[in-house]
Amino acid sequence: YTEPEGAESDPAPPEDSNNTESLKSPKVNCEERNVTGLENFTLKILNMSQDLMDFLNPNGSDCTLVLFYTPWCRFSASLAPHFNSLPRAFPALHFLALDASQHSSLSTRFGTVAVPNILLFQGAKPMARFNHTDRTLETLKIFIFNQTGIEAKKNVVVTQADRIGPLPSTLMKSVDWLLVFSLFFLISFIMYATIRTESIRWLIPGQEQEHAEQ
């Protein structure tokens, strides 16, 4: 795995036809899928048992935008409505999302040390990473255009339905059992060390007499 190229911090908007960015060849030549007869363009969320590689074609040149998120991350929740609307803006591309906590091996493989993390794949190869701090529909449109040369459908906006799903925009409260176990282990260790220290003091010559004098 090689680190994909990051997104430009100040990309040029695709609407400006006179901008020099629109004259550049795309960085990723994506094969656009046939959307004839398709009406419902939506995001696919992978469950715990599904492998990302099963949804990427290693022998193809079609492109997929993959989101690594966690349901208790507030940044993932704020991004969710914008990412939900992307399939309507780019029906020729594929869009996937997966819970990074349930796919830790993939997170390690692709270097997703923080969420939300967005990668553009061509086939099964990561080509670019979205590094913009402003995660909105417009910045995502610009990122995709600058990388692929594919323009977004006009008049696509974030709707109320996008705030509902498929990717949830409300935080899921969950108990961090790893943190609970770590705290329990730490408290147990401190108690054991304290008791052990008192026992050693009684074994040291002179400690008993000093204790009696006190």
Side-chain angles (χ1 to χ4, degrees):
Y1 168 69
T2 56
E3 176 67 17
E5 181 181 347
E8 299 174 358
S9 57
D10 293 309
E15 292 81 8
D16 186 2
S17 59
N18 295 325
N19 197 291
T20 55
E21 285 291 336
S22 62
L23 301 177
K24 293 181 181 180
S25 58
K27 300 175 183 178
V28 183
N29 293 315
C30 298
E31 178 183 349
E32 300 185 36
R33 65 170 176 169
N34 185 6
V35 297
T36 303
L38 295 178
E39 297 181 357
N40 186 23
F41 302 101
T42 186
L43 166 70
K44 169 68 176 178
I45 300 180
L46 275 60
N47 59 38
M48 185 184 300
S49 62
Q50 293 176 314
D51 187 0
L52 173 63
M53 295 300 109
D54 293 337
F55 293 85
L56 302 176
N57 182 10
N59 300 319
S61 58
D62 53 327
C63 290
T64 306
L65 200 67
V66 180
L67 167 65
F68 293 77
Y69 76 99
T70 54
W72 56 82
C73 170
R74 63 185 181 92
F75 298 106
S76 297
S78 62
L79 168 64
H82 304 273
F83 203 85
N84 286 335
S85 63
L86 280 176
R88 301 196 311 275
F90 298 92
L93 301 180
H94 302 276
F95 295 89
L96 299 174
L98 56 91
D99 186 343
S101 64
Q102 296 180 354
H103 299 81
S104 55
S105 60
L106 289 175
S107 300
T108 303
R109 177 178 179 181
F110 297 115
T112 56
V113 294
V115 291
N117 206 307
I118 302 172
L119 288 175
L120 175 66
F121 285 80
Q122 183 179 39
K125 181 180 179 182
M127 303 299 293
R129 187 187 303 273
F130 180 82
N131 289 328
H132 207 290
T133 55
D134 184 19
R135 306 179 187 93
T136 64
L137 175 59
E138 293 306 315
T139 56
L140 288 167
K141 284 180 181 179
I142 295 169
F143 167 75
I144 295 174
F145 173 77
N146 285 346
Q147 296 296 328
T148 67
I150 300 175
E151 294 191 19
K153 297 289 184 181
K154 296 182 178 180
N155 301 324
V156 174
V157 296
V158 177
T159 64
Q160 185 60 35
D162 294 325
R163 302 185 185 281
I164 299 175
L167 196 64
S169 59
T170 55
L171 289 177
M172 178 184 297
K173 295 183 179 180
S174 176
V175 177
D176 192 338
W177 291 110
L178 179 60
L179 178 60
V180 172
F181 176 78
S182 300
L183 291 174
F184 176 77
F185 176 81
L186 181 61
I187 294 172
S188 301
F189 177 78
I190 293 174
M191 293 177 62
Y192 171 80
T194 302
I195 297 173
R196 187 68 175 173
T197 301
E198 291 296 327
S199 300
I200 293 175
R201 286 185 60 190
W202 283 97
L203 296 176
I204 299 176
Q207 291 292 329
E208 294 184 10
Q209 181 178 358
E210 180 183 348
H211 183 76
E213 292 177 355
Q214 292 178 358

